[in-house]
Amino acid sequence: MTITSAICNSFKQEILVEGHNFTNGTDAFKLALYSSNSATLSKSTTAYTAPTDGTADPTNTYEVTSTSSGYTTGGNALTSTTPVLSGDTACCKFADTSWGSSASFTARGCLIYNSTNANKAVCAINFGSDKTVTSGTFTIQFPAQTAGNAIIQIA
């Protein structure tokens, strides 16, 4: 069990048969944080599953807990930009997102998912190490919307 950064295989197939609309807010995307590298997130992840009691759902044991941490179960809503071509690579970018000035938690990775479309997974991201905030603001900064940089790229 580990977090492996990847575009989810189910997402690759879904964009050919039913789509995920990143333009004009048609679909709503969210980013959920996970507190341990023991979370199972990878190219095989198919959907976000909410924990049943904040921590104990066996399919989502490691999402950051919402108890007095400044984090809300399910994560933050994301604002996407219109996808562009960078050379021959289609790229998508989201606006940076953050958790307020009193956040206190540790995150190891995240899952971006389409909350409009049955919480279907888009991509899993491993931060490479634990990232901790204590009574501060936790911000996810997305990279440039260019080939080799964008968080979602289809070449």
Side-chain angles (χ1 to χ4, degrees):
M1 296 193 325
T2 189
I3 298 174
T4 304
S5 296
I7 299 291
C8 297
N9 286 338
S10 57
F11 171 76
K12 294 174 195 174
Q13 190 250 343
E14 290 159 5
I15 60 175
L16 297 175
V17 294
E18 64 183 85
H20 289 268
N21 192 339
F22 289 87
T23 303
N24 300 326
T26 302
D27 285 356
F29 295 89
K30 294 186 85 176
L31 183 146
L33 294 173
Y34 291 81
S35 61
S36 171
N37 197 40
S38 296
T40 303
L41 299 172
S42 69
K43 66 182 181 180
S44 299
T45 303
T46 59
Y48 166 81
T49 304
T52 56
D53 69 357
T55 60
D57 184 341
T59 63
N60 187 4
T61 304
Y62 299 104
E63 184 175 359
V64 169
T65 59
S66 59
T67 308
S68 303
S69 68
Y71 180 82
T72 301
T73 300
N76 278 358
L78 296 175
T79 301
S80 64
T81 60
T82 299
V84 299
L85 277 177
S86 176
D88 292 328
T89 303
C91 302
C92 185
K93 177 177 174 48
F94 296 99
D96 295 348
T97 189
S98 61
W99 286 263
S101 61
S102 62
S104 294
F105 55 80
T106 298
R108 177 58 184 234
C110 67
L111 178 69
I112 296 174
Y113 65 98
N114 186 337
S115 62
T116 304
N117 192 351
N119 293 332
K120 291 183 177 181
V122 174
C123 66
I125 302 165
N126 185 321
F127 297 154
S129 63
D130 289 343
K131 306 298 180 189
T132 301
V133 61
T134 304
S135 297
T137 301
F138 188 89
T139 301
I140 301 289
Q141 294 178 319
F142 286 95
Q145 190 174 8
T146 57
N149 292 308
I151 203 72
I152 299 171
Q153 303 179 46
I154 301 172

